[in-house]
Amino acid sequence: MEPFFRAASRARRRLFERLGSARYSRPALFELDRKLERYLPERDGYFVEAGAYDGYLQSNTYYFERIKGWTGLLVEPVPALYHACVSERPASRVVNSALVRPEADGEPVRITVGGLMSVVHGAQGSAEADRAHAEGGTRGGRDPTYDIEVEGRTLSSLLDEESTPEIDLVVLDVEGYEAEALAGLDLQRHAPRFLLVEMLDADRTRSRIEELIAGGYEFTEQLSPFDYLYRRRRSPTARGSSPRR
């Protein structure tokens, strides 16, 4: 019956959206979409979200696309979820790949699928830890757990294929693989105004993230127990450095 309830929920949500209501259009965990809203352009911004899942459940960018008229790039490595995301997010480009650092661009990436917590092999430190992490996202076993192999792409290589405006927000939520994904973003060419990074183990991850963005970004706020927001530093030569509203 789950597909029926999912379809019914979507139909209700779309009806409310057509009526101008966002009642069912804020799916982000920890109210991250509400917290981000005070930093971001009111209308017509551009986002990137990695770890897009089905385009709705726990999405940090759904509200901005459906209610605020934003567009963007969504990255989801699991094929079944990629197809769901394509249907859910018609205003954005959806890509079926995993984000990697430059030296791994074009190489296959092994992933253990686990619902909302699919994980790249090695991201949790061992095969056993990867499997346990993925199983934690299966909603009590309702979602299957299995291994797949997908193409690895750097984020900047995907952005090079787009005619992208200035990027207002990049969201990285890839279950412990955030540093590798961020390493594939060339900040000389594709520096977002804001960067939101999930860190499940900040003691292990935060120094790696901040080393990659050193000099270009400043820590702004911890928006949840796991999500850290960074703002691009202003400079006279920075592209689009003046705030947009």
Side-chain angles (χ1 to χ4, degrees):
M1 295 295 288
E2 187 169 341
F4 170 79
F5 287 116
R6 186 186 293 265
S9 175
R10 181 179 180 182
R12 178 185 63 181
R13 177 176 7 111
R14 291 295 172 86
L15 173 61
F16 272 75
E17 289 170 356
R18 286 195 294 271
L19 296 173
S21 171
R23 180 175 179 179
Y24 300 106
S25 303
R26 289 185 178 273
L29 201 60
F30 303 114
E31 297 190 327
L32 287 173
D33 42 16
R34 291 184 185 276
K35 295 172 183 177
L36 286 167
E37 193 171 12
R38 64 179 179 265
Y39 291 105
L40 297 171
E42 175 65 19
R43 301 288 305 179
D44 303 322
Y46 188 91
F47 58 77
V48 175
E49 185 167 17
Y53 193 64
D54 66 357
Y56 175 72
L57 192 62
Q58 296 188 13
S59 172
N60 293 316
T61 61
Y62 179 90
Y63 168 80
F64 295 101
E65 178 176 327
R66 298 296 301 179
I67 302 300
K68 297 295 186 179
W70 286 42
T71 58
L73 172 68
L74 298 161
V75 184
E76 173 51 52
V78 180
L81 296 173
Y82 157 77
H83 290 296
C85 194
V86 168
S87 298
E88 189 67 70
R89 304 291 291 274
S92 294
R93 180 191 176 202
V94 186
V95 176
N96 183 207
S97 65
L99 295 184
V100 295
R101 58 179 56 252
E103 55 267 32
D105 191 44
E107 298 296 321
V109 177
R110 291 192 61 78
I111 292 175
T112 297
V113 176
L116 283 160
M117 294 167 62
S118 298
V119 59
V120 173
H121 282 201
Q124 296 298 315
S126 70
E128 293 77 11
D130 292 340
R131 176 68 59 175
H133 185 86
E135 289 175 352
T138 62
R139 300 181 300 157
R142 283 181 289 171
D143 294 325
T145 302
Y146 55 95
D147 290 344
I148 61 171
E149 197 171 84
V150 298
E151 182 185 27
R153 296 289 306 276
T154 66
L155 181 48
S156 276
S157 74
L158 295 176
L159 291 169
D160 284 339
E161 296 172 356
E162 297 281 292
S163 179
T164 58
E166 181 181 13
I167 304 167
D168 293 290
L169 174 68
V170 167
V171 177
L172 298 178
D173 180 357
V174 288
E175 306 305 316
Y177 211 64
E178 286 79 14
E180 286 75 9
L182 181 58
L185 180 63
D186 182 349
L187 296 176
Q188 296 299 313
R189 295 184 292 126
H190 301 127
R193 294 178 60 237
F194 287 93
L195 177 65
L196 181 68
V197 185
E198 181 187 67
M199 301 186 204
L200 298 176
D201 183 354
D203 290 340
R204 181 172 66 95
T205 305
R206 186 168 179 177
S207 62
R208 297 174 65 200
I209 295 294
E210 294 185 351
E211 181 179 355
L212 288 166
I213 60 177
Y217 286 80
E218 59 188 5
F219 173 69
T220 302
E221 184 179 357
Q222 184 175 348
L223 297 184
S224 85
F226 308 109
D227 295 278
Y228 294 72
L229 184 68
Y230 295 86
R231 185 199 306 262
R232 189 180 66 205
R233 295 182 186 276
R234 295 184 184 182
S235 70
T237 58
R239 181 174 65 91
S241 58
S242 58
R244 287 169 44 186
R245 284 289 172 187

